[in-house]
Amino acid sequence: MSHIVTRVTTHSRKVCSLYKRSLRNLEAWYMYRYRAVLLRARFDENKDVKDMRVAQQLLDEGEKELFSLIHYQPRQFAYSPGGVAHGREVVPPDWVLDYWHPMEKAAYPEYFARREQRKKEYIEWWEKTYGKPAEPAH
Amino acid sequence: MKNKLRNRNSLAHDSLTTAPAAAAAAAVGTSRKMATLARTLHLVSRIRPSTVLSILPRAAAVGCLHTTSLQEHRGVSRVVQPAIDKTSWCSSSVRDYSSKPPLTLDLIQQRVLLVLKLYDKINPEKLSVESHFMQDLGLDSLDHVEVIMAMEDEFGFEIPDADAEKLLRPADIIRYVADKEDIYD
């Protein structure tokens, strides 16, 4: 239930994701380079399996193995989710600019004029691609 | 007091200090500050004993530390300019997450190409900025994963899988890093 699949990922992408996570896990333990080469050999020997059922089963076994061997305190990059600096700098979303006071907007007339123009163009593009929005029935 | 100070300074001089400490050292002139400085250097040299690498820039810094101690001995207090160039990323063996070295597009390109040349499965003669990993250089998708991991380690931030599968040339990687780090020149 917690692991709802939200995107369609191909088998090769799942394999690559497993490989990357297992390499990072390996980095967290010890003797990285030697074991990384061994891991790569393990992935390579099953590279040419054409039967998708076998391939899927191998992938599942790999995921279980990774889960059992995961490090208790993996080293994470600062800005990635789970790292120390994640969410440290919040970039305000674009629509906040629309809520500026008119006196503040008057300080940047050219930019806001261009912004209105851009909004019009965006609406035109949207209606061209997806059609006009349906009128509310009532 | 002065004897003890000179001994402390020579101790710090023996264990080559780190760049920031030396830069801090270089900006100081008076004797009271030298005492606290020597104490910090002593602490710093205890925390990081393994920075006895890349002798040249550090030796320059330590040289100016030595000159400040001599000047202090003579009773002249003067602010000494730091002699190291902190922007040369090749010489720093410690990665600081508080401040990265200033990047330009050219520097990013050099770093990316260097990392790729160091990789075993790539032929350095065939490597160029526009060469495709899979088609021109004959890499596998797992090799591609390894290359992306090397780039993550090099630049210090994580590249998610969705973005990583689109980065199939060194030029793409350079543009991606420049976008993430906000570099336009």
Side-chain angles (χ1 to χ4, degrees):
Chain A
M1 180 59 199
S2 63
H3 214 64
I4 308 172
V5 177
T6 44
R7 309 185 71 172
V8 176
T9 44
T10 60
H11 181 79
S12 50
R13 268 189 222 171
K14 285 186 204 159
V15 169
C16 288
S17 162
L18 175 68
Y19 182 59
K20 188 168 178 185
R21 273 178 291 137
S22 45
L23 274 182
R24 287 284 179 217
N25 188 35
L26 218 53
E27 214 175 351
W29 295 107
Y30 56 100
M31 273 172 74
Y32 174 58
R33 271 261 68 91
Y34 174 63
R35 282 164 195 249
V37 170
L38 290 179
L39 180 74
R40 180 61 199 265
R42 277 178 72 185
F43 269 82
D44 275 340
E45 74 189 28
N46 291 325
K47 201 168 56 157
D48 294 319
V49 172
K50 294 293 174 204
D51 190 3
M52 277 315 291
R53 292 173 301 172
V54 178
Q56 185 64 37
Q57 193 188 4
L58 286 168
L59 182 67
D60 287 337
E61 280 170 17
E63 291 276 358
K64 282 204 193 91
E65 193 181 331
L66 177 64
F67 184 70
S68 67
L69 289 170
I70 223 164
H71 195 266
Y72 50 88
Q73 197 180 18
R75 205 173 68 159
Q76 275 154 332
F77 289 102
Y79 288 96
S80 57
V84 246
H86 183 58
R88 193 179 271 187
E89 285 170 21
V90 180
V91 178
D94 188 55
W95 48 262
V96 169
L97 282 164
D98 290 335
Y99 283 88
W100 278 20
H101 194 270
M103 284 296 291
E104 294 173 326
K105 283 191 187 173
Y108 301 95
E110 278 173 44
Y111 174 71
F112 280 99
R114 243 185 303 146
R115 198 182 157 77
E116 294 302 315
Q117 182 60 31
R118 273 188 203 153
K119 278 191 213 172
K120 282 198 196 102
E121 285 171 12
Y122 189 76
I123 292 174
E124 279 168 22
W125 168 83
W126 179 278
E127 288 180 352
K128 200 162 58 139
T129 325
Y130 299 111
K132 276 208 169 296
E135 293 296 321
H138 113 125
Chain B
M1 170 62 183
K2 279 231 174 106
N3 270 340
K4 208 164 45 163
L5 205 62
R6 232 179 297 138
N7 281 344
R8 274 213 185 132
N9 279 340
S10 62
L11 199 78
H13 177 66
D14 281 342
S15 64
L16 294 164
T17 56
T18 60
V28 163
T30 59
S31 67
R32 202 169 6 110
K33 283 184 190 170
M34 286 303 284
T36 48
L37 169 71
R39 244 179 285 132
T40 15
L41 283 173
H42 204 56
L43 278 168
V44 164
S45 60
R46 236 182 287 159
I47 294 168
R48 290 209 191 137
S50 59
T51 53
V52 190
L53 305 164
S54 71
I55 304 293
L56 280 164
R58 305 272 158 72
V62 173
C64 70
L65 172 62
H66 198 56
T67 51
T68 50
S69 69
L70 284 177
Q71 281 155 18
E72 188 269 330
H73 182 55
R74 266 186 248 127
V76 173
S77 58
R78 188 167 71 95
V79 174
V80 177
Q81 301 304 320
I84 341 154
D85 179 18
K86 254 207 111 166
T87 58
S88 60
W89 58 274
C90 312
S91 61
S92 72
S93 59
V94 174
R95 210 164 278 214
D96 301 314
Y97 280 108
S98 55
S99 72
K100 298 184 187 173
L103 293 170
T104 58
L105 272 179
D106 191 42
L107 187 62
I108 298 177
Q109 184 176 328
Q110 282 174 26
R111 283 170 82 171
V112 167
L113 287 177
L114 177 68
V115 169
L116 289 173
K117 277 178 200 160
L118 289 172
Y119 190 43
D120 283 352
K121 296 188 187 175
I122 293 182
N123 191 0
E125 275 106 59
K126 280 204 213 154
L127 179 71
S128 81
V129 184
E130 286 295 332
S131 49
H132 197 270
F133 286 136
M134 314 268 188
Q135 287 153 14
D136 298 337
L137 300 169
L139 290 183
D140 202 5
S141 57
L142 293 180
D143 296 329
H144 178 63
V145 167
E146 286 183 22
V147 163
I148 296 292
M149 278 179 65
M151 292 300 153
E152 286 179 2
D153 288 333
E154 171 73 25
F155 291 103
F157 62 90
E158 192 161 349
I159 301 175
D161 289 338
D163 292 339
E165 67 198 11
K166 297 192 185 83
L167 302 174
L168 293 164
R169 290 165 203 272
D172 296 338
I173 298 176
I174 293 165
R175 214 176 308 138
Y176 183 81
V177 171
D179 287 343
K180 287 286 173 184
E181 303 278 341
D182 285 332
I183 295 157
Y184 302 110
D185 55 10

